[in-house]
Amino acid sequence: MTLFLEQVLNGLQFGTMLFLMAAGLTLVFGVMGLINLAHGSLYMVGAFAAAAAAAATGNFLLAIVAALAAAALAGAIVEIVVLRRLYRRDHLDQVLATFALILIFSEGVRWIFGSFPLYLDVPRALAGAVHVGPLSYPLYRLAIIVVGIAVAVGLWLLINRTRLGVQIRAGEADREMIAALGIDIARLYTVVFALGAALAGLAGALIGPIQSVQVGMGEPVLIMAFVVVVIGGIGSIRGALVGAILVGVTDTLGRFLLPIVLGGFMDQASAMSVGSALASMSIYILMAVILVWRPTGLMGAH
C-alpha cells in the first residue's frame, strides 16, 4: 500500500508537469487556432536556461525566473517573426513551419550548450523527504504538485477575473468581433503565445532536477501534452488539468501495476517487458475511450 500511494503521488507529479505543458498548448490553439509543434522546444529552452542560470548563480529561484523569461521571450519572437504570417493559412502550413522550428531550436541549443546533457541540482530547501507514517516522499516532487495547483488557480483567476482574461475568452469565441471593437488582436496573440511559452519553460525548469537536460527532451513530452489537450477538450484550462492528472496517474500506475499483474502467469522479464509496453499504450486507449464517449473531450465545447 505504501508503494502504491507513492506511485499515485508520482502520477500526480507527472500530471501537474503535463498540465503546465498542456495549458499553454490549449490556450494557444483555443485563442489563435494554431497547431504549435514547437511547444516542446520552448520546454527545452526553459530547461536549458534554468540549468545555465543555476550553474552561474547557484540560486534555483533565479533559475526559474531565467526559464520563464527565456521561454516567454523565445515564444514572443517566434510569434512575431514566424507565426503571425500563418494564422490565415492552412493547418498543414502551421504544422510544417512549427516542425521546422523544432529543428532550428534543437540545433541552436546544441550550438550554444553542446551535445552533452546538463544537470540541475534539487534546491537545498527542498532536498529532503516528507514522512507520513510509513510513507516517505521526496519534498521536491511534492513542491512540483503544489506549483502545478497554484498555476492552475492562477490561470483560472487570470481567465475569469481580469481584463486580459475577458479578451482571451472573447478571442476564443469571435476573433473578428473583438478586433472590430478596437482590441489589438496582434498584441493579444503575442501575449497569449508568450504566456503559453512561459508555462512550457516553467515545466522544463521544474523537471530539470529529476531528469537530465538535453537536446530533444521536449518532443516526447509534447506528444503526451497533445493527448492531454485532446482528452480534456481543446481550449479548456480546467479540462487540461483534469486530463493531465488522468494521463499522469494512468501512465504511472500502469507501469507499476501491469508488470505485477502479468507476473502472475509470466516470467519476470517478460512481465516487465509486456507490462511496460501495455502501460505506454494505456494513455492512448484512455484517449480513444473518452473520444468515443465525448468526441469534444471531457470539458470541450459541444
Side-chain angles (χ1 to χ4, degrees):
M1 181 55 68
T2 300
L3 188 56
F4 176 79
L5 291 175
E6 183 179 330
Q7 294 305 315
V8 170
L9 288 173
N10 282 340
L12 288 175
Q13 178 262 304
F14 184 39
T16 52
M17 189 274 294
L18 284 177
F19 166 72
L20 295 175
M21 285 286 290
L25 268 181
T26 202
L27 263 181
V28 167
F29 190 84
V31 176
M32 302 160 66
L34 179 77
I35 299 175
N36 179 26
L37 295 186
H39 199 67
S41 297
L42 298 168
Y43 167 87
M44 177 183 67
V45 166
F48 271 95
T57 66
N59 190 309
F60 190 74
L61 283 179
L62 287 179
I64 295 292
V65 172
L68 289 168
L73 179 61
I77 292 172
V78 163
E79 194 279 333
I80 292 169
V81 175
V82 179
L83 302 181
R84 189 168 289 182
R85 295 162 173 77
L86 300 174
Y87 296 135
R88 298 185 183 277
R89 303 282 288 273
D90 186 83
H91 283 318
L92 178 60
D93 294 335
Q94 298 173 1
V95 167
L96 291 173
T98 53
F99 180 75
L101 287 171
I102 293 176
L103 304 179
I104 292 170
F105 272 113
S106 293
E107 293 308 313
V109 168
R110 183 177 284 111
W111 176 59
I112 295 171
F113 294 100
S115 299
F116 295 103
L118 303 181
Y119 297 92
L120 264 167
D121 293 327
V122 173
R124 192 174 306 164
L126 301 174
V130 174
H131 303 278
V132 180
L135 177 65
S136 177
Y137 195 73
L139 181 59
Y140 181 74
R141 288 180 180 266
L142 279 179
I144 292 178
I145 297 173
V146 172
V147 168
I149 294 171
V151 169
V153 173
L155 282 175
W156 184 86
L157 292 173
L158 173 69
I159 299 297
N160 293 282
R161 294 288 187 269
T162 67
R163 180 177 176 81
L164 175 61
V166 171
Q167 294 177 3
I168 289 173
R169 284 184 283 128
E172 289 179 329
D174 194 333
R175 280 167 274 180
E176 289 76 15
M177 180 58 73
I178 67 167
L181 291 173
I183 302 299
D184 187 345
I185 196 74
R187 183 181 67 85
L188 176 64
Y189 280 8
T190 303
V191 169
V192 169
F193 197 87
L195 174 61
L199 291 173
L202 175 61
L206 291 175
I207 209 66
I210 296 177
Q211 67 181 49
S212 60
V213 176
Q214 57 189 330
V215 175
M217 64 185 290
E219 281 64 65
V221 180
L222 176 68
I223 296 171
M224 303 279 277
F226 271 120
V227 172
V228 168
V229 170
V230 171
I231 288 175
I234 293 172
S236 172
I237 297 295
R238 187 172 54 169
L241 178 61
V242 173
I245 292 173
L246 274 176
V247 168
V249 172
T250 299
D251 182 74
T252 304
L253 288 184
R255 295 179 189 280
F256 167 61
L257 292 175
L258 284 173
I260 296 175
V261 172
L262 294 174
F265 50 89
M266 288 183 176
D267 62 89
Q268 194 62 34
S270 298
M272 289 296 294
S273 176
V274 175
S276 178
L278 289 175
S280 299
M281 295 166 55
S282 62
I283 60 169
Y284 303 104
I285 296 171
L286 174 67
M287 179 178 69
V289 170
I290 288 175
L291 288 181
V292 168
W293 173 49
R294 293 177 69 91
T296 57
L298 291 175
M299 297 183 183
H302 294 283

